Each structure stands twice: as structure tokens, then as C-alpha cells.
Amino acid sequence: MSRLEAQPLSPFTRLNALLEGIAPGQAPINMHVGEPQHPIPDFVGPILAANLKDFGRYPPIVGPEPLRNAIASWLTTRFGLSSGIDPQSQVLPLVGTREGLFSAAFVAVPETRNGKRPAVLIPNPFYQCYAGAALSAGAEPVYVNATIDTGFLPDFESLPTDLLARTAAIYMCSPSNPEGAAADASYWRKLFALADAYNITIFADECYSEIYAQSPPCGALTIRQETSPSFARLLVFHSLSKRSSLAGLRSGFVAGDAGFISRFREFRNVIGPQLPLPIAAVSQQAWSDETHVEANRALYRQKFELARSRLSNRFALRVPDGGFFLWLDVGNGTDAAMRLWRDSGVKVLPGEYLARDTPSGNPGKCYIRVALINDFATTDEALHRLAKTL
Ligand SMILES: Cc1ncc(COP(=O)(O)O)c(C=O)c1O
């Protein structure tokens, strides 16, 4: 099979095929895509307008210095970095995190690893870009189940040593999409010990870290500074898509290991997309302002309380440690998604489409992922229909 043929099919393409020809039973409500529908921050328009002429300039791959400074300052405060992080050598803007999560694999994956085909470890279920990246870079993606028994986090430590010896990179999503599980300090410590023992690069996808109901999820950088103030072998990915409800702005960044960032910067300087300068100006403000993020979080908090009251203890409901997804155990996810659409017009994603089959089964099979991205009234209506239909 060619690398292209091996690529995963988008879960949304699979969902379209599943629901094709089935008319929605009521006015449709979309809860299948993780696209926040909250209002965008007020400052976006005026800053864009003030910087319009810069659409006429090619942006530098490293982005404007004030943007990198704003990012470094946000990281230092949010994650309690005692020595800070260097905006010149340890921060790089991305045109949304997806493209960065993809292209970083090309830097991390060598031709061979200890004489064997390199492996890239991926939590299962997972954000599908990770598999696309591993396959495109010529690695073998190895899917590590995250189930209720493992606290919905992958147990990388339990893997055979010969597999770890050929592992080039690990994608770790925390808080995770779809389950909303956040790794704690002890989880990160063990993962970094593994990374150091086997020289593995960790890609920590933290794009949901700012959406939480209770306390801020632990960050990878916070824990890594204990053993490596230079964040060796660690790259964290953050995005404005969820934090600031700016999915269409296409703005994020990668930060961490300076050696990796340097190789990534040079690679990107030839093949990477640059962040347009007016978008960089908006992003600088978005990373510098917490007021809109707190307002955003408050809206999600209300909707999680609503879910708790609408669904009570059904479907093994958990309010996620972070992110805005409900990961509901409905017995059979594809069947439930079909019934929900047919009987009540609510569109959700079968968990199976976010996971791979493994010898111990498909860890997403019993679940549906429900994105609480709509306004309160729409969410209320959707949860009411869901509780009635399933
Ligand atoms: C886990 C995860 N990582 C990364 C992304 C990409 O986000 P963006 O490219 O908008 O920054 C998403 C988007 O849904 C996601 O769910």
C-alpha cells in the first residue's frame, strides 16, 4: 500500500457516508465537529482593520517578534516557568496547530531507528492528523489504547522495549480529544523518563488546555522544567481555535526544545506556511488577554452543568478535565449516531471513527463524541433530544 493509500479517512467523511440518505427527524443541530460557536473576541475586527496593508507583505516564518514575546510571556505565566522560555529560539508560530502537528513528524522521524523502521506512538482514540503525519513521514503508527481502565490515557510504559527502542516520537494529547482526560504531574514525569531513556521526542498537543470546568490542567512544560530547564525532547502545541473560539483565524504555535525548533524552523522556511502579519497582530492580542478566555470558559462551565442535570448519571457521563466534548458510553456508537440523526436531527460522531481496531478491540466503539460548541439554548435542546432518543 502506498503512503497515500494508507492515510486515514476523515471521520467526517465516514460520518457523511453513515448518514447519507437518512433525513433528520427534527431541525438539525451539529455537535459532531469541534468548532466553537461562541462569539469571537471584540478586538479581532479593529486589529485586523488596522493591519490590513500588511496582507501585501510576505510574513517571516518565525513570525513577528512581538507575537513570539506575547506567546513566551503567556507560557511563562500560565505554566509557571521559573526560567521562562526564550521567544527567539524556543517558540515558533503555526498556521493552526494541525499543520504543525503534521509537519513536525518529518523532523522527528529518521530513515531508520536502531536499524529498524521507526515507530510513532499514538493514543487510541486520537486526533487523526497524528496518524497522517506518522505515515507520511515513513514511520509505523502504533496505536496505544486509552480506555476507562487506564483513566482514558495511553499507557506507553507498558510497551515492549524493542518497540520503544525504535520509537522516534510520541503524540500525547492532554486534555485529550475525544475523552477530555488530562495527564497529571506523575504521568508526565513517567513519560519524560521514558523519552530520556529511549531518546524519544514528545509532541504534547495541549490545544484544549484552556477549556476546563474546575482547575487548569497540568502542562507538560511545567513538569519538564523539573528535569530539563531547556525542555529537551519536548514540544508543546497550543492553538487559538478553542481558547479564543477563533478556529477560522488559523493560528497556533509550537514551543520547547530549541534544537528541534531550530531544525523545524529551517524545514518550514522552505516548505511551511507563514502566519499572515495581520493574523499575527490579532494573535498577539489573543495570547495577551485572559478576559475573553475566562468568559469563554464560563460558557462551557454552564453547559457542563447543564449536561450533568440533563443526563445525570446516564452514559457513564464525566465532566472532562479539559476540552468541550462529552464522551458518552452508548453501547454502540455508530448505531446511536444514526438513531440520533434519524429521530432527533442531532449530529454526533461515533467514537469508533476516532480510533483504530486493535487486537483488544476498538476502544471508541461504545462511545459517541458530543461537542458542546453551541450556545446554551441550542445545547439544552440538543441534550433534551439526546436524553429522549437514546
Ligand atoms: C486534539 C486536536 N489537536 C489539534 C487540533 C487542530 O487545531 P487547530 O489546527 O485549529 O489549531 C484539533 C482541532 O480540532 C484537535 O482536536
Side-chain angles (χ1 to χ4, degrees), residues 2-19:
S2 73
R3 285 185 191 187
L4 190 60
E5 284 163 346
Q7 289 291 325
L9 201 57
S10 156
F12 304 113
T13 305
R14 295 177 70 186
L15 181 63
N16 285 342
L18 180 77
L19 303 182

Side-chain angles (χ1 to χ4, degrees), residues 110-342:
E111 288 303 309
T112 59
R113 184 73 186 229
N114 291 324
K116 305 232 172 70
R117 184 180 178 196
V120 169
L121 307 184
I122 296 175
N124 196 28
F126 62 100
Y127 182 56
Q128 299 297 295
C129 171
Y130 309 155
L135 286 161
S136 301
E140 179 194 351
V142 176
Y143 305 103
V144 184
N145 287 350
T147 64
I148 193 162
D149 298 331
T150 60
F152 293 109
L153 295 171
D155 182 5
F156 295 118
E157 275 189 306
S158 66
L159 296 173
T161 53
D162 60 332
L163 171 58
L164 292 168
R166 65 184 180 90
T167 296
I170 297 177
Y171 282 96
M172 177 62 202
C173 189
S174 174
S176 62
N177 172 5
E179 314 94 315
D184 63 10
S186 114
Y187 186 98
W188 283 119
R189 283 187 193 113
K190 285 189 219 156
L191 188 58
F192 296 138
L194 207 64
D196 289 342
Y198 291 93
N199 190 21
I200 299 170
T201 304
I202 306 293
F203 294 140
D205 180 352
E206 299 188 331
C207 73
Y208 291 99
S209 69
E210 303 316 286
I211 312 292
Y212 51 84
Q214 306 284 331
S215 43
C218 177
L221 292 173
T222 308
I223 306 306
R224 188 50 170 158
Q225 67 180 348
E226 293 172 356
T227 44
S228 172
S230 63
F231 311 114
R233 285 180 276 281
L234 172 65
L235 286 311
V236 298
F237 293 78
H238 283 272
S239 171
L240 292 175
S241 298
K242 325 291 177 182
R243 163 188 159 91
S244 302
S245 303
L246 286 170
L249 191 74
R250 309 310 303 132
S251 180
F253 68 82
V254 58
D257 185 312
F260 188 98
I261 297 268
S262 163
R263 290 191 295 281
F264 200 23
R265 183 175 54 232
E266 289 317 310
F267 179 58
R268 294 175 64 76
N269 216 4
V270 179
I271 60 88
Q274 310 97 312
L275 196 66
L277 290 168
I279 304 292
V282 173
S283 307
Q284 181 189 327
Q285 179 59 23
W287 290 115
S288 306
D289 176 66
E290 289 302 312
T291 309
H292 76 284
V293 188
E294 277 156 25
N296 203 17
R297 246 190 320 264
L299 294 177
Y300 286 113
R301 202 171 287 127
Q302 286 166 6
K303 290 188 282 183
F304 283 121
E305 278 163 21
L306 180 68
R308 230 204 278 267
S309 77
R310 279 270 179 237
L311 307 180
S312 52
N313 290 328
R314 295 183 65 197
F315 315 117
L317 175 78
R318 292 162 29 253
V319 171
D321 301 329
F324 46 58
F325 298 114
L326 299 179
W327 184 236
L328 302 181
D329 184 345
V330 290
N332 180 324
T334 41
D335 180 61
M338 228 169 357
R339 275 194 293 137
L340 267 176
W341 178 247
R342 187 193 59 212

